[in-house]
Amino acid sequence: MLERTLSIIKPDAVAAGCTGKILAMIEEAGFRILALRMQRLRREQAEQFYEVHRGKHFYESLVRFMTEGPVVVMALEREDAVARLRDLMGPTDPAKAGEGTVRKLYGTNIERNAIHGSDAPETAERELRFFFSTSELV
Ligand code: ATP
Ligand code: MG
């Protein structure tokens, strides 16, 4: 079934000039880009976006990282979009990522791992609403 997911090219990958290469990987993997925007997250936005991790040892550092420079947020569509994007990304820790995944190619460590993807369809719908209004999803 056609499904939507939310992805973020994180500040490390944007700063390294890898935005275009990651977008090409996403399109070549069969995703349709429904919406896309470059922006710098405000602290409160990053805190709220990663609310589920509040209190964990990496939370403060994660919020600092996600606000250190611009990100590219996008709404994506394809069959099984959530799972297929997670496949393309690779696991959270780039050291454990398979060849050809975004995190293997462009991630640095378990925090600075180049890309975000929603972890479940329900999360995806919430995260899409967090960044985009219905009329922006073309
Ligand atoms: P994301 O939600 O960004 O797509 P994920 O679902 O693979 O990544 P989560 O467990 O949701 O991983 O963690 C969110 C983000 O927090 C990670 O992508 C990474 O940037 C950071 N992070 C997770 N675990 C750690 C850790 N042990 N140490 C440092 N940073 C971490
Ligand atoms: Mg996650």
Side-chain angles (χ1 to χ4, degrees):
M1 208 187 65
L2 265 190
E3 190 175 77
R4 302 189 303 186
T5 192
L6 187 281
S7 186
I8 304 177
I9 304 177
K10 296 185 178 183
D12 56 336
V14 173
C18 299
T19 301
K21 287 176 280 194
I22 293 172
L23 288 176
M25 286 176 72
I26 288 170
E27 290 196 314
E28 278 157 22
F31 292 88
R32 195 162 74 82
I33 298 172
L34 302 177
L36 180 147
R37 177 172 71 243
M38 179 174 270
Q39 68 178 91
R40 179 136 184 198
L41 298 182
R42 285 178 290 102
R43 183 175 182 86
E44 309 74 60
Q45 285 177 300
E47 285 177 351
Q48 202 191 331
F49 185 76
Y50 279 120
E51 190 67 41
V52 331
H53 296 304
R54 194 186 285 272
K56 294 186 184 160
H57 68 92
F58 59 81
Y59 180 73
E60 263 308 310
S61 180
L62 173 61
V63 168
R64 232 178 297 120
F65 164 49
M66 290 300 291
T67 56
E68 75 181 26
V71 298
V72 174
V73 296
M74 66 195 114
L76 301 173
E77 183 181 73
R78 65 154 284 167
E79 298 279 316
D80 286 327
V82 170
R84 296 290 80 76
L85 182 67
R86 300 282 295 192
D87 290 344
L88 184 68
M89 287 161 49
T92 311
D93 184 356
K96 300 188 173 135
E99 292 302 325
T101 61
V102 175
R103 282 170 166 168
K104 174 77 170 189
L105 286 165
Y106 304 116
T108 303
N109 58 44
I110 196 167
E111 176 181 84
R112 305 177 71 82
N113 57 9
I115 189 168
H116 162 82
S118 309
D119 61 9
E122 311 74 60
T123 322
E125 288 305 312
R126 176 158 41 78
E127 292 182 350
L128 287 165
R129 276 200 306 279
F130 186 87
F131 282 110
F132 298 107
S133 61
T134 307
S135 62
E136 286 177 300
L137 301 173
V138 294

